[in-house]
Amino acid sequence: MRKIDETYFLLSLLWLIAGMVFGIWLGANEKFNFAESHAHMALVGFVVSAIFGIMYRFYPSMAESRMAPYQLWIYQIGAVILVAGKIRVDAGGGPAVVIAGSFVILIGALLMLYVFAAKRGTSRAAVGVAG
């Protein structure tokens, strides 16, 4: 498997492209009621995934956690569920899917907190300055 930081970077770029394509579709079809879904793709998908990738890159010992791969996939699956649910809500549907996705993302974020607290060790920046 590819390094977890690289996987996060790849997924963040996929979220970016998906958000851009979705945004172009929104504008071209004047479907501005989906603007919040577009924002969730960008923030929950692209931005947070990129930040998590940076954290794994900055603290490489975090990737040694047995929970790290679970954290990545739980968060990403939650993001997909949340965005799909948000699209459904923006189209006039009920909030059940977005609520479920929110809880899955929360679990992914809590796992990130655990991995960071338990395994962060020394950052690459600190090693570079000291060495």
Side-chain angles (χ1 to χ4, degrees), residues 1-14 49 52-54 56-57 63 72 124:
M1 183 177 154
R2 153 186 334 264
K3 290 194 232 175
I4 197 162
D5 58 341
E6 293 174 0
T7 302
Y8 258 121
F9 292 144
L10 176 64
L11 291 168
S12 73
L13 292 170
L14 291 173
S49 294
F52 284 175
I54 291 166
Y56 277 108
R57 175 70 55 98
L72 180 144
R124 283 193 174 162

Side-chain angles (χ1 to χ4, degrees), residues 72-90:
L72 180 144
W73 292 114
I74 288 170
Y75 183 83
Q76 292 299 315
I77 290 167
V80 169
I81 295 169
L82 175 93
V83 169
K86 190 66 184 107
I87 291 170
R88 184 171 179 236
V89 166
D90 289 349

